[in-house]
Amino acid sequence: MSEQIPIGITVNGEDLEFDRAVTVTELLTHRGLPSKGIAVAVDGALFPRGRWDESVERGWEIEILTAVQGG
């Protein structure tokens, strides 16, 4: 029987742990965010929307940015 090792990541400066692999899409849902009007950066680099269904990796620093209207 294998032991589950928590996956620790940082999201917008907040340390989070999950007991299973999660995707970026699941992370957005977990935080109550829509999938539109959002940009995601991992370790300071844009993370393309086409990769949002991939599992996040332990230790990633993720920034979730929302579009703001105005000017």
Side-chain angles (χ1 to χ4, degrees), residues 7 9 11 16 18-33 35 40 42 47-58 60 62 64:
I7 297 169
I9 60 173
V11 179
L16 299 176
F18 294 91
D19 58 3
R20 63 173 184 82
V22 295
T23 65
V24 171
T25 301
E26 290 172 322
L27 181 61
L28 294 174
T29 300
H30 171 75
R31 296 186 67 88
L33 295 169
S35 60
V40 176
V42 175
F47 195 73
R49 188 175 298 269
R51 295 185 60 195
W52 285 12
D53 288 329
E54 296 177 19
S55 295
V56 300
E57 300 288 331
R58 181 175 290 112
W60 277 9
I62 299 172
I64 301 172

